[in-house]
Amino acid sequence: MARFRQALRKFVAFSEQVAADHGVTVQWYQALLVVRTYRGAKHISVGELAEQLMIRDHSAAELVSRLAQAKLVRRKTDPTDRRRSLVVITRAGERRLSELAAVHLRKLREARSVFATFFGAAAESQ
């Protein structure tokens, strides 16, 4: 378990550095990932984004504002409920997400043996 936790901490540190190298925070990257993949890429509301990221609604609203200011997402009024704001990823957001996801995927593939060893040992012990 200790090796697994260490591998996770290393991956999180790696993720923070890669995000910074690409001009975003890890939270921005995670938000873009959620916006892009939510329910088959259907538009997500700010409240749903908050729920997915496990943050408060007002924090998600501020996050969306910062992402919109960086032109990585845009807000759209929900046509069925004009009180709700939907979040849509932009082309620039898609590009940034694609770059970051590719780097993260390569790193996960490199670390595969650590995770496979842990899960294999965990399965054997049950």
Side-chain angles (χ1 to χ4, degrees), residues 92-124:
E94 290 272 4
R95 282 191 302 273
R96 186 76 49 94
L97 178 59
S98 181
E99 294 164 1
L100 286 163
V103 174
H104 280 82
L105 190 54
R106 278 195 302 275
K107 184 66 170 180
L108 281 172
R109 285 185 176 131
E110 290 171 13
R112 178 180 11 210
S113 64
V114 173
F115 295 111
T117 300
F118 171 76
F119 288 116
E124 289 173 8

Side-chain angles (χ1 to χ4, degrees), residues 12-68:
V12 168
F14 164 82
S15 183
E16 290 170 352
Q17 185 59 56
V18 167
D21 292 346
H22 284 81
V24 299
T25 67
V26 170
Q27 190 177 43
W28 284 25
Y29 169 58
Q30 291 171 349
L32 289 173
L33 194 57
V34 169
V35 169
R36 175 64 179 88
T37 60
Y38 186 73
R39 292 189 183 163
K42 289 187 179 175
H43 302 312
I44 187 170
S45 72
V46 173
E48 291 164 331
L49 179 63
E51 186 178 309
Q52 291 290 313
L53 294 175
M54 294 185 270
I55 60 177
R56 297 189 185 274
D57 286 355
H58 67 276
S59 298
E62 282 297 316
L63 175 60
V64 169
S65 292
R66 290 191 303 273
L67 288 167

